[in-house]
Amino acid sequence: MTTTYAMPQLRSRPEPASDTVYAVASGDLRLAANTTCWPAQQAFEEQVRTAMASHGWAMQRAHDVDPATGHGFIDSQARGIEVFRSVPKDAPVVVVDAVWQYSHHVLAGLRAHRGPILLVANWSGQFPGLVGMLNLTASLTKANIEHSILWSRDFTDEWALDKLGEWLRTGAIAHETSHVRDLPALRDSDEARLGTALAEQLREDHAVIGIFDEGCMGMYNAIIDDEMLNPTGIYKERLSQSALLAEMDRVPAGEAEAALAWLEEAGLTFHWGEDDATELTREQVLSQLRMYIAALRIGDDYGVDAIGIQYQQGLKDQCAASDLAEGLLNNVQRPPVRSRDGERELWAGAPLPHFNEVDEGVAVDALVTNRVWTAMGFDPATTLHDIRWGEEYDGEFVWVFEISGSVPASHNGGYDQSYSMRQVPMFFPKGGGTLSGVSKPGEIVWSRVFVMDDALHADIGRAHVAELPAEETQRRLEATDRQWPIMHAVLHGVSRDQLMARHKANHVQVAYAPDAEAADRALEAKAAMFEGMGIRVHLCGDVAL
């Protein structure tokens, strides 16, 4: 007997048009962000289109504006898959990034694509396309997807136009990355011995990182597979944000009030208002402090060595922002929290390292920093920042490192040098305050743990935090997000374009040292610990090793 099945019909792909690049635009998941940022995306796409035309190429959008939403962003993974069904498999594709975007929206389409891929970003503080592009290039690098990247303020400068022409001719762009070198053989030094011993202890005794819902805002690059992570000695405890909300409900009102009183006594300035929809209110901050207390208690329950809260999706519709709680967790001095039975103070006199946006590369880095800096007797407060933007000032390139309000207060010089402002309603409908300030001048070590060639890597380098005039700081805050903490970072021996060409994340990890000599020693110990954990280490720029 013959059986007849309904066989699937494969969709036919269109033939690529001659001298045509197909453009896609990955966006946010949040409708308010997409509609607000759509005009900026349109303007930047037109600049890229004009640049393409100057080389004799047309740029054809692969998807139209959605009349229901009023924007032309790909706003879900399913939509991205649908869009790429109409893109010729062998055609050149450009992903145009003028804003923050969720990389997984286009990852499936780019993974299956055969033609050349280019990511382009605007150079803007207000609309952080370069932040989005850095995440997407890191995600494609982790996925072993060949691609090129390019950035420009408006694609009229000679350098960007020449690089664009290079890609159109060859399908690839070669950037200058001579600032990167592999870690040489470790010296017989106290610092190298310390790092190696700390790595051996970690791999022997193990550590646990607590993750409140893996995979934040499409950051595929921020997920490290267990099979890759576990050989370093680090294991995951996968936690649920619903459990965090439930624990927050169990925190007595008096404990949150006591934490707020502690912060006010320490000198933290709150920019209070009365309109819950647009201003910072006490109830919002008390919600954040309940989250802070709840995170410590859950961390204690599971014996974690670091913890990460994935705030943006889910929690944003349920409670105030996590940023204030995150900054407190990363600081040595913070409101005391006791175990539920009142018998113990949790992490007394020490931070519980927090990895913002559950970025697991940050988790590894923060844990290593905490152990190295603590062993050396330095303040172990550490944080990630977005590589947001930057400009020349007084003869040197000064980066704007900025994150959504979760820095430890010691980075700002203390709580009396810090302040809290309401988060932007577009992204944070339930409000909540930041832990903000201007990072104090000083010497720092910067680093990033990432996945490349199916292995863990770490880039590490030195920098200092510059002190800019108040008016220049304010100008940079107004050009980005004035509510957020800012760091004026000057990288040692790494130019703007070298960092952009190499860096495999939207995030960078930073930690202070008492002085330049101490920072050099801390970097050596940290590099040794990374290597001892089986992570391939790369020195970036001027490093005293």
Side-chain angles (χ1 to χ4, degrees):
M1 183 177 69
T2 301
T3 303
T4 302
Y5 297 103
M7 301 299 292
Q9 297 298 310
L10 296 180
R11 185 188 300 266
S12 61
R13 296 287 184 118
E15 291 297 318
S18 177
D19 295 335
T20 298
V21 176
Y22 291 78
V24 297
S26 181
D28 211 293
L29 184 67
R30 295 160 290 196
L31 178 61
N34 284 332
T35 54
T36 301
C37 298
W38 176 235
Q41 175 73 20
Q42 286 180 298
F44 184 57
E45 285 187 19
E46 192 55 40
Q47 293 167 354
V48 177
R49 188 187 311 279
T50 300
M52 294 275 189
S54 73
H55 289 284
W57 284 70
M59 189 174 89
Q60 177 180 321
R61 231 174 175 273
H63 51 109
D64 297 325
V65 173
D66 185 340
T69 63
H71 68 77
F73 288 112
I74 296 172
D75 54 7
S76 72
Q77 182 170 230
R79 174 63 176 145
I81 291 171
E82 179 184 16
V83 166
F84 271 92
R85 287 173 183 154
S86 65
V87 176
K89 283 266 190 189
D90 298 307
V93 165
V94 59
V95 183
V96 184
D97 285 335
V99 299
W100 170 252
Q101 57 80 45
Y102 283 38
S103 293
H104 80 295
H105 289 172
V106 292
L107 186 61
L110 294 175
R111 194 189 288 272
H113 194 68
R114 294 192 296 257
I117 298 167
L118 175 65
L119 317 181
V120 298
N122 58 343
W123 194 267
S124 167
Q126 182 181 9
F127 295 101
L130 69 92
V131 185
M133 186 193 73
L134 284 170
N135 182 260
L136 184 52
T137 187
S139 295
L140 297 185
T141 298
K142 176 189 172 186
N144 293 315
I145 300 171
E146 292 291 333
H147 65 285
S148 297
I149 61 174
L150 189 55
W151 50 93
S152 176
R153 184 177 65 84
D154 56 11
F155 274 90
T156 61
D157 57 292
E158 184 179 356
W159 176 83
L161 287 172
D162 286 348
K163 288 295 184 184
L164 178 60
E166 181 182 339
W167 182 75
L168 291 168
R169 290 191 310 274
T170 69
I173 295 175
H175 288 294
E176 198 276 301
T177 56
S178 61
H179 66 292
V180 181
R181 67 187 190 278
D182 288 344
L183 179 70
L186 292 171
R187 301 185 297 188
D188 184 20
S189 66
D190 290 340
E191 290 74 26
R193 286 192 291 273
L194 172 64
T196 300
L198 288 170
E200 184 178 1
Q201 179 190 48
L202 176 61
R203 296 180 77 165
E204 181 68 23
D205 293 346
H206 302 159
V208 175
I209 57 173
I211 301 171
F212 284 106
D213 290 346
E214 204 164 35
C216 181
M217 296 191 294
M219 292 189 295
Y220 167 78
N221 69 302
I223 302 171
I224 301 174
D225 292 342
D226 295 61
E227 290 75 15
M228 191 178 294
L229 182 66
N230 295 164
T232 70
I234 300 173
Y235 290 76
K236 300 180 191 180
E237 188 69 58
R238 290 175 171 87
L239 306 169
S240 170
Q241 293 186 107
S242 60
L244 182 61
L245 287 169
E247 188 63 34
M248 288 169 62
D249 285 342
R250 297 187 187 103
V251 174
E255 289 190 38
E257 291 280 4
L260 177 53
W262 189 99
L263 291 172
E264 291 180 317
E265 178 66 24
L268 182 62
T269 298
F270 291 94
H271 291 255
W272 298 118
E274 297 180 356
D275 180 7
D276 188 67
T278 60
E279 296 176 315
L280 183 65
T281 65
R282 288 182 66 87
E283 186 49 48
Q284 292 171 19
V285 172
L286 291 171
S287 171
Q288 293 179 289
L289 293 173
R290 286 194 294 272
M291 182 184 291
Y292 162 67
I293 295 166
L296 283 163
R297 287 182 175 151
I298 292 176
D300 184 49
D301 289 341
Y302 289 92
V304 305
D305 298 273
I307 200 162
I309 300 171
Q310 197 265 90
Y311 175 77
Q312 292 292 348
Q313 302 308 332
L315 287 183
K316 74 176 176 60
D317 300 311
Q318 297 291 323
C319 62
S322 58
D323 301 285
L324 178 59
E326 295 167 0
L328 296 177
L329 290 168
N330 275 326
N331 211 58
V332 174
Q333 293 181 309
R334 49 185 176 75
V337 175
R338 305 195 72 79
S339 56
R340 291 186 193 84
D341 60 11
E343 294 296 318
R344 295 172 292 116
E345 183 180 345
L346 303 179
W347 283 272
L352 170 57
H354 181 275
F355 46 105
N356 197 8
E357 296 168 355
V358 295
D359 184 335
E360 293 165 19
V362 171
V364 174
D365 204 324
L367 184 61
V368 169
T369 300
N370 177 268
R371 296 196 173 189
V372 170
W373 264 241
T374 298
M376 297 183 76
F378 302 159
D379 177 8
T382 183
T383 187
L384 64 82
H385 275 287
D386 275 338
I387 298 176
R388 180 63 182 267
W389 174 62
E391 286 185 338
E392 292 278 338
Y393 186 84
D394 197 23
E396 60 185 4
F397 191 84
V398 182
W399 282 97
V400 172
F401 285 175
E402 198 173 63
I403 195 57
S404 61
S406 60
V407 301
S410 65
H411 281 204
N412 304 328
Y415 288 102
D416 59 345
Q417 301 297 313
S418 304
Y419 54 87
S420 183
M421 302 176 72
R422 191 202 193 276
Q423 288 285 18
V424 182
M426 175 175 70
F427 294 118
F428 302 88
K430 295 290 186 178
T434 56
L435 207 170
S436 294
V438 181
S439 291
K440 62 186 180 183
E443 300 291 331
I444 61 172
V445 176
W446 67 267
S447 49
R448 174 64 199 183
V449 174
F450 59 99
V451 178
M452 182 171 68
D453 299 329
D454 300 314
L456 280 177
H457 294 249
D459 282 358
I460 189 167
R462 283 275 285 107
H464 68 270
V465 181
E467 185 172 16
L468 301 186
E471 57 270 21
E472 175 64 12
T473 296
Q474 192 59 39
R475 184 187 73 84
R476 289 172 176 242
L477 283 169
E478 295 295 337
T480 52
D481 284 284
R482 64 184 181 87
Q483 299 88 348
W484 293 5
I486 188 170
M487 172 176 276
H488 303 310
V490 179
L491 305 187
H492 297 175
V494 182
S495 71
R496 183 198 83 163
D497 292 339
Q498 284 177 327
L499 183 71
M500 288 295 299
R502 167 66 181 187
H503 205 69
K504 299 302 181 186
N506 49 307
H507 294 147
V508 61
Q509 195 75 16
V510 295
Y512 279 89
D515 53 41
E517 186 269 341
D520 290 341
R521 290 191 289 113
L523 184 149
E524 183 175 5
K526 186 171 183 177
M529 185 171 180
F530 278 146
E531 183 177 69
M533 294 164 63
I535 298 172
R536 184 174 175 183
V537 181
H538 312 274
L539 305 178
C540 298
D542 298 336
V543 176
L545 270 182

